[in-house]
Amino acid sequence: MSRSAWLATPLVATFGTLLGVLALYFGEAALVPWLAGPGDPPCGQPDCVLGVGLQMMLAGVVLVLVAAVAGVWLGLKHRETADRASAVLRGFVVCGYCLLAYAIQSVVAWWPK
């Protein structure tokens, strides 16, 4: 049992959430105009630039910070009993919950008003 195995939890949680948020953000940015069809975006041009886009960027930054804090807290909590595999698994669990929150928030933000 390595003393530094707990570090895998915050590293996996933070970088996994960062990569997932970037993939979801750019995927949604490409998908929304395709789903809306020809013409303007469903929320109107200024609102998409200043409203939903800014809201999604802010949510992404906040969730990466939440993943980092939760990963450190969870890693330190289990540092004595953790092996590397369980530490990585806990990091993926934190990452999954953060990405689920981002996906739910994006559905709410893009929902037609």
Side-chain angles (χ1 to χ4, degrees):
M1 186 164 41
S2 174
R3 292 184 54 95
S4 63
W6 72 272
L7 286 171
T9 301
L11 289 174
V12 169
T14 303
F15 289 116
T17 302
L18 177 65
L19 291 175
V21 163
L22 288 173
L24 284 172
Y25 180 80
F26 288 114
E28 289 172 0
L31 191 62
V32 166
W34 180 73
L35 288 174
D40 290 332
C43 57
Q45 193 62 28
D47 189 36
C48 284
V49 173
L50 298 175
V52 176
L54 188 61
Q55 181 181 359
M56 297 308 297
M57 283 187 251
L58 182 64
V61 169
V62 167
L63 281 173
V64 169
L65 293 174
V66 165
V69 170
V72 168
W73 177 77
L74 201 58
L76 287 174
K77 182 178 175 186
H78 295 284
R79 73 175 170 250
E80 298 300 325
T81 60
D83 59 343
R84 195 169 308 265
S86 63
V88 169
L89 181 63
R90 278 191 295 276
F92 279 125
V93 168
V94 170
C95 174
Y97 278 119
C98 288
L99 292 178
L100 178 66
Y102 187 81
I104 290 171
Q105 195 268 342
S106 68
V107 166
V108 170
W110 283 109
W111 196 264
K113 295 179 176 42

